[in-house]
Amino acid sequence: MAAISLLNPKAEFARAAQALAVNISAAKGIQDVMRTNLGPKGTMKMLVSGAGDIKITKDGNVLLHEMQIQHPTASLIARASTAQDDVTGDGTTSTVLVIGELLKQADICISEGLHPRMLTEGFELARIKTLEVLDSLKILIEPTKENLINIARTSLRTKVHPTVADKLTEICVDAVLTIRQKNQEIDLHMIELMEMQHRTAADTNLIRGIVTDHGSRHPDMPKRVENAYILTCNVSLEYEKSEVNSGFFYKTAEEREKLVAAEREFIDNRVKKIIELKKKLCDGTDKSFVVINQKGIDPPSLDMLARENILALRRAKRRNMERLALACGGTAMNSFDDLKEEHLGWAGLVYEHILGETKYTFIEECKKPNSVTILLKGPNKYTLEQLKDAVRDGLRAIKNAIDDGAIIPGAGAFEVAASQALHLYKEKVKGKQRLGVQAYAEALLVIPKTLAVNSGFDAQDTIVKLLEERSTLGEAVGLDISTGEALKPTDAGIYDNYNVKKQIINSCTIIASNLLLVDEIMRAGLSSLKG
Amino acid sequence: MTSREILTIQLGHYSNFIGTHWWNIQETNFSYDSDNPSEINHDVLYREGENLKGQVTYTPRLLLVDLREAVGYLKEQGTLYDTPQSEEAQQSLWDDTKVEVLKEETVNKSPFIKSLDESFESQNPTSSSLSLENNINSWVDCLLPRFHPRTLNVIKHHKHDGAMYPFGIFTYGRNLWNAEQFSDDFSERIRAYVEECDLMQGFQIILDSVDCFAGIGASCMQHLKDEYGKSIISFPCIDSKRTEHSASNMIKILNTALCWQHVEEYTSLFSPLCCGETAWPQIGDPRIFNHLTYNSELKYHSSALLATALDTLTIRYRRKEYSNVVLSDLCADLNKLGRKATATSLTLPFPITAKADLIDVLDDFEGPLWTSLTPNCDISMDKNMQSIVLRGISEERLKRPISHAMKQISKPAYRCSTVHEMMMLYLACTCHASATYLSNISSPLYIKSPYPKIFNNNITETGDVIGWPVGTDVQSVPVMAGLHSGNNLSAMYESLHSQLSRIRSIKKFHAFTDSGLEEDEFNECLNYLLDCKENYEDHYI
Ligand SMILES: Nc1ncnc2c1ncn2[C@@H]1O[C@H](COP(=O)(O)OP(=O)(O)O)[C@@H](O)[C@H]1O
Ligand SMILES: [Mg+2]
């Protein structure tokens, strides 16, 4: 076991000057570990634990958390990347790279005698300017399928093979557009990601309805029904002996049995209410009846329902209650006192699929599904995880684009443009802060440079080309990762999220500054960094 | 017969040691002999399943949580449900030339686990010559069962986070639960288990009370209560290894007090466990068992005793014969008047002399009948509400037939015709002003490696006490264990209260205040302990 640490975190910091050097070298070290991961040509890391568990990822945030990088600086950077992930769901590798590069550039200035304070003030000026550039690159979009496909594809191709990525792109965009409701914030929880062990990831598909990972618990219940009324409820159909009756002073066996029978009847009556409604609505028609209960259903209740050919599921996920109502219509019931047809939902098809010991129930052919399920398929747990991470990123990218009402050109175009603008801006800045602006302009180029290197091209050559093109064309210019030449991201359909870049700029500036002003932070105590 | 299922939850390192012995004991006591079936309904604690190769599995219905470094060689998903090789036809999701493998050093299995694996493959029983005392660093090093993929929950963190993730702090555990990721995963696993159950009895929870697992446990129990409303029995436990650090003792006391306060609120019944006579202000001398020699400094030893007690006392609601006797009955018996805390007792072995009958043994019995395993709490013979389980005394050993009865006939107990009857009579006579619920089964506790060798050499292979040393290992043993609710618990609360009130202000405990503990909550906790103390005082005499 790890020693339960009660150490004052301050004690781990070396003295100020040393601490700065330590911070810079640690940030560089982390950057070195992550740089190969960036972009569609980046490397994946396969982390194999001491027990043999596998995790495959290139997500900067995950890597920071999974790899045992032993340094307090790392946890500061980790916090930035976690925040990045929480807020936007993307850009975590870029975050790590930009922080590292800001510190690297700072290191050069500091070794020439510049005070860290001057640098951080310059960073702040640069940050504001960079955000202006970002705003100027915004491309306003309507949330149409064509517009969203590009942003989703760009994101997904940085996570999985193009063939799988393109398949997932379609699925993700369809999913979001299906659940999107006019004038309402998109709730990605209404897209359930369900995992299923299966040979190939390419069979991942979108179900316009609900898939649960459990099924009926009675052998005689139907395995497949059509034209189904769906009753969703949160009502116990399970007889429970209460804790009130002490067993000490034992009543006679008969007395006990009677008590049980009386309490049992209470439950039976609930079941009868369901059956009554089912008979009224379904008997003599081609319609069928499905019960999905958040509470338990015990064997006697299952028996009664099965006799009526009702398909019943127990212990459904709390979240599925809401989702079922959205997918099938109807209301989740908390009692059966006043149960009516209007409370029920509807699905064209409900069927069961069994895999090993897991049963899946598919509830499909809903009239207007405002909640859907992406059924992820992969041969093993870690592939499924990898797929899930990718899909999550894809969904977030689409949501971000809709929320922003805008996207920006990708492939390093933003960083190139910002860097160039900062170089012009720098001339207007008086005093030593100018050096900070300059360092910032250099640091942003780490993104296109790294994209180039990861695609097998020379960093310097590429940057020169891109900056030249940008100057001549005056429009957004990014890197063509297959040729190493400049391209127009808008032609190639490569886009990034506006809010992702914005968050990167903001959080990297803050964290880098904090790391540079380490001596002042030490005095203020680490707790001031919380949050 | 529908089984009334139970879901077991183990939270924390020491709890997992206890759990490991407990599951080991279960498997050692499985009966594969259809003429001699087990009296225990194992389906209460186990689930039957099927892996993707179509093989039937039988695994503990269990969720456990521990830190990364504690689980060593254990794979998160276990090994029973590995995908069939043929389906692994690897189709990767990324360009294979662009995958960089980062491999941690493989964790070695302990010699015991290695020998277990080998015997599993060769179908030979394990040789028990290994000395386990020096080879067990974590509970995984002496773990017999294989787990369902849901069972193991690892808390991931990095070493460099040490200062920021104080695993020694109750409130940190609570925050961890509240961080969506953990509780989502965990409660989803709970739901999956509960969904499988036809008619669940409830939950048993073993949790470490001195560190962050107490906080995880408190939140978890709240979730269980809100979501399922079933009975919950819990055992907050404390390792009896002594530590010198006095500052950390105070933190453990604070954690324990907060733990109880919340456990009290959400569970139906609970019993604190420790092999030390006291757990505060520091760990005291080990509890004494006349026929055992054990090292209370070793988790491996002390947790075996606690597991033995748990195994026996829970038999009440795990029997085949009385399948309608369930956890809620036990709780209802003992938690009257809001007295949810109980003391746990163990009698190991139940001292029956070789060749003697129960009637004589009870008659000759001297000294206390049981040893308390609840810290800072002795268990008196009188004025208890108690649930006691006795296993391993067969009906043949009750008394001699009338033709050979001799002196036995003059004893009042001779009219008793079952072990149950005789024990009840004995308890009625010896336990003044008490109400006892007794369950008994005839099969003893079967023991084999890795159960520690803690029996003195005057205990025979079958667990009888004799007057001279024997050279054989104990293979089975009669055991008695119980839960007792009486005024002794008042003293337990009082002692914890007086220790806790040494903390003048919570402000000095930064790790707590930083993770959300407020002065008010602390004061409530102090009051809670006082209330409980008073609640257990008997005023009727
Ligand atoms: N097809 C492409 N060509 C060039 N650059 C791309 C392409 N697709 C994505 N990128 C760039 O890759 C970067 C994102 O890489 P990614 O691996 O997702 O890291 P992050 O974790 O920072 O999001 C962005 O700067 C994006 O513009
Ligand atoms: Mg990305």
Side-chain angles (χ1 to χ4, degrees), chain A residues 38-40 58 90-94 154 158-159 410-411 451 494 496 501:
Chain A
L38 188 75
K58 63 197 277 293
D90 195 12
T92 56
T93 310
S94 303
T154 306
T158 64
K159 298 291 181 267
L451 287 171
I494 304 168
D496 285 330
K501 293 294 181 190

Side-chain angles (χ1 to χ4, degrees), chain A residues 41 69 238 315 357, chain B residues 81 98 160 191 227 230:
Chain A
K41 297 271 179 170
I69 302 166
E238 153 179 299
R315 301 282 176 202
E357 63 180 31
Chain B
Y81 283 74
K98 293 222 162 195
H160 72 256
R191 191 194 62 82
E227 200 73 9
K230 307 256 177 195

Side-chain angles (χ1 to χ4, degrees), chain A residues 1-2 4-9 12 33 36-37 39-53 56 58 63-72 74-75 78-79 156-161 164 189 197-202 213-215 217 238-250 256-257 294-295 297-299 302 314-319 355-357 379-383 386-387 454-455 526-527 530, chain B residues 2 4 13 47-52 57 66-70 72-77 81 83 87-95 97-107 148 150 156-169 180 184 188 191 194-201 211 213 226-232 248 251 268 316 324-326 328-329 331-336 385-386 435-437 511 514:
Chain A
M1 294 284 287
I4 286 164
S5 176
L6 300 163
L7 277 181
N8 184 333
E12 293 199 7
V33 176
T36 55
N37 303 337
K41 297 271 179 170
T43 47
M44 285 282 170
K45 287 194 165 55
M46 179 193 262
L47 307 174
V48 185
S49 81
D53 285 323
I56 299 182
K58 63 197 277 293
L63 286 170
L64 270 176
H65 285 91
E66 294 274 338
M67 292 166 69
Q68 306 251 325
I69 302 166
Q70 290 186 44
H71 200 280
S75 60
R79 260 195 255 171
L156 282 158
R157 283 194 177 184
T158 64
K159 298 291 181 267
V160 287
H161 258 315
V164 182
H189 286 305
Q197 209 132 330
H198 180 85
R199 230 167 273 121
T200 149
D213 55 3
H214 55 114
R217 290 283 172 190
E238 153 179 299
Y239 166 62
E240 188 89 56
K241 204 158 54 167
S242 61
E243 259 174 37
V244 183
N245 310 314
S246 167
F248 257 131
F249 313 105
Y250 244 101
R256 255 185 118 73
E257 285 307 303
Q294 196 186 325
K295 290 264 161 47
I297 310 179
D298 63 13
L302 288 174
R314 67 189 178 202
R315 301 282 176 202
K317 251 182 251 188
R318 178 185 287 273
R319 193 153 74 217
L355 192 72
E357 63 180 31
N380 48 41
K381 185 76 187 161
Y382 67 82
T383 310
Q386 204 184 339
L387 211 53
N454 288 350
S455 315
L526 194 72
S527 55
K530 274 250 162 66
Chain B
T2 41
R4 299 288 318 265
H13 195 57
R47 74 187 281 283
E48 194 176 299
E50 185 191 318
N51 67 16
L52 287 169
T57 63
D66 212 328
L67 302 184
R68 172 87 267 165
E69 52 269 45
Y73 67 88
L74 278 193
K75 288 189 141 195
E76 286 198 33
Q77 302 284 308
Y81 283 74
T83 325
E87 291 204 8
E88 285 266 354
Q90 268 317 316
Q91 170 232 33
S92 85
L93 296 177
W94 199 246
D95 183 352
T97 61
K98 293 222 162 195
V99 177
E100 182 188 344
V101 180
L102 300 173
K103 218 171 158 194
E104 274 177 25
E105 205 180 319
T106 308
V107 182
H148 190 268
R150 278 204 280 270
K156 299 196 180 85
H157 67 107
H158 350 234
K159 291 179 190 134
H160 72 256
D161 286 338
M164 253 167 276
Y165 293 79
F167 287 102
I169 306 298
E180 195 179 338
D184 266 13
E188 187 48 32
R191 191 194 62 82
V194 176
E195 193 275 330
E196 293 168 356
C197 298
D198 270 337
L199 194 51
M200 213 194 181
Q201 298 190 40
D211 55 30
F213 289 100
D226 292 350
E227 200 73 9
Y228 300 104
K230 307 256 177 195
S231 300
I232 303 173
S248 82
I251 286 174
S268 321
R316 168 167 173 178
N324 60 349
V325 176
V326 288
S328 64
D329 298 324
C331 297
D333 282 357
L334 298 186
N335 70 11
K336 287 281 165 303
M385 307 278 262
Q386 55 200 10
T436 306
Y437 183 99
D514 287 356

Side-chain angles (χ1 to χ4, degrees), chain B residues 187-239:
Chain B
S187 46
E188 187 48 32
R189 289 170 185 223
I190 295 172
R191 191 194 62 82
Y193 271 131
V194 176
E195 193 275 330
E196 293 168 356
C197 298
D198 270 337
L199 194 51
M200 213 194 181
Q201 298 190 40
F203 305 91
Q204 322 176 126
I205 302 174
I206 315 175
L207 74 165
D208 290 12
S209 74
V210 295
D211 55 30
C212 78
F213 289 100
I216 298 177
S219 304
C220 175
M221 287 178 214
Q222 180 176 16
H223 168 78
L224 293 177
K225 185 169 181 186
D226 292 350
E227 200 73 9
Y228 300 104
K230 307 256 177 195
S231 300
I232 303 173
I233 188 169
S234 65
F235 300 93
C237 34
I238 301 177
D239 182 5

Side-chain angles (χ1 to χ4, degrees), chain B residues 145-176:
Chain B
R146 292 176 183 229
F147 290 144
H148 190 268
R150 278 204 280 270
T151 292
L152 181 61
N153 296 265
V154 176
I155 296 181
K156 299 196 180 85
H157 67 107
H158 350 234
K159 291 179 190 134
H160 72 256
D161 286 338
M164 253 167 276
Y165 293 79
F167 287 102
I169 306 298
F170 178 89
T171 27
Y172 175 63
R174 196 158 67 180
N175 295 345
L176 191 77

Side-chain angles (χ1 to χ4, degrees), chain B residues 14 133 239-241 295-303:
Chain B
Y14 192 58
E133 276 70 11
D239 182 5
S240 48
K241 183 176 167 59
N295 182 353
S296 66
E297 299 281 309
L298 287 182
K299 289 186 179 65
Y300 166 61
H301 275 191
S302 60
S303 61

